[in-house]
Each structure stands twice: as structure tokens, then as C-alpha cells.
Amino acid sequence: CPAVSAPSLLPAAPRVLRCRFRALPPEGGAAPGPPPLLSPPVVPSRPRGRDHPHRATMDKVVLMLLVLLSLLVLFLLLLAAFARAPIFGSCVAALCYLLLHFVSDERSGVHRAQEFENRFWTAFACLCSTAALFAADSPLAFGLWSPSCGFLAVLASGAAMHCYDRIRHRAAIGRSV
């Protein structure tokens, strides 16, 4: 490539190397005019976002890792609860199992009517408050020292859950109409 000086108004302009290559003539004749400069090859960009072919696989892997990590943390918390408070920990584990079964099985008879679901949530609130207030190693076990206050607190939590679930259901019906 011959060195060609670039036109400039400055007296000492740097010399620029320009290389020209011959382009292949189009079919049927010679290329008119001077041969064009070659441009660098166009590299196709990698697909990003939703178009990426491995994105779905990566999302599944990340999701599975998050699920496994959360299960490990839950298991460690359960072990810590059993070490600190075995009776309360077993009550909470049984209630978590009951809740998981309720949420995961929508074909059961509990989900056939809203009133059945309301009864479930009322009973669940009563069981949670009973475990919290009457388990011997519970941090809130004031039902052991005052059983009448504990019983009233259990009834109050069940009634509060019953009213809350009915209000929430009525609001959902009002929004859909």
C-alpha cells in the first residue's frame, strides 16, 4: 500500500496509509470507477433477551437453584426451631405441611365453595394461635399462665380471620361486577 499524505491546512500533516483492494466485477461486466475500499466484515450480533436460544434453559437452572437454596434455608430454620423449641417447631411444621397441601391441591373438596375455604382459614388461624399460645416452649405461651385469656385470644384470632376472609371475598366480588 503506498503512503499518501492527507490534505491538510497544517504545514506538517501526518502521512496516512490507505490500502485499496480490487473488488470483483459484477457479473456481466467490469466494475465502473475506482475500486471501493474494503470495509471490515459485519459480525452478526448475538441475540439478547428473549431471543437468546439458551435463555429458557438458564432461567430454569437459576429458578431450580433458587428453589433448592430456599429449601435448604427452610430446612436449616426448621432444624433450629426443633433444637430451640421442639413442641412449637413440630406444630409449626405440621401447620406448614397442612398449608402446603391446601395450596397445592385445588381439586379437593375444600376449594369447591368459598364458604369451605373460609372455614379452612378460620380453623387454620385457630390452630396457629393455639400453637403459639399454648405450646410449652412457644415464645408467646401466655395461655399456660392464663388459660382463659389464651382461649379468648384463640377465639379472637379465628373470628378476625373469618371476618377478614369474608371481607376480602366480598371486595373481590364487588370488583368483578
Side-chain angles (χ1 to χ4, degrees):
C1 295
V4 179
S5 61
S8 173
L9 299 174
L10 298 174
R15 300 184 74 171
V16 178
L17 292 176
R18 292 186 184 164
C19 297
R20 294 183 179 227
F21 298 95
R22 288 189 184 176
L24 294 175
E27 291 183 25
L37 292 175
L38 281 181
S39 62
V42 177
V43 178
S45 64
R46 292 179 29 193
R48 295 184 182 144
R50 292 184 178 191
D51 299 334
H52 199 280
H54 300 292
R55 179 150 177 102
T57 307
M58 291 300 291
D59 287 345
K60 288 179 184 177
V61 169
V62 170
L63 180 65
M64 186 59 71
L65 287 175
L66 287 175
V67 167
L68 288 176
L69 182 65
S70 62
L71 285 175
L72 178 67
V73 168
L74 182 66
F75 180 70
L76 291 175
L77 286 174
L78 188 65
L79 287 178
F82 280 136
R84 175 79 176 123
I87 297 170
F88 182 67
S90 61
C91 289
V92 169
L95 289 170
C96 286
Y97 174 74
L98 180 67
L99 183 64
L100 179 69
H101 183 66
F102 173 75
V103 170
S104 65
D105 186 20
E106 293 215 359
R107 293 177 297 153
S108 69
V110 178
H111 293 284
R112 290 199 181 132
Q114 196 278 331
E115 188 61 34
F116 295 159
E117 288 187 4
N118 189 332
R119 290 176 189 161
F120 170 80
W121 288 116
T122 303
F124 188 78
C126 287
L127 290 173
C128 284
S129 60
T130 301
L133 299 176
F134 287 102
D137 52 1
S138 171
L140 302 173
F142 71 85
L144 296 176
W145 294 282
S146 177
S148 58
C149 287
F151 181 71
L152 289 175
V154 168
L155 288 180
S157 68
M161 178 55 82
H162 177 76
C163 291
Y164 171 73
D165 191 47
R166 289 181 69 94
I167 289 169
R168 187 182 55 83
H169 180 67
R170 285 182 183 157
I173 289 173
R175 280 193 305 262
S176 65
V177 173

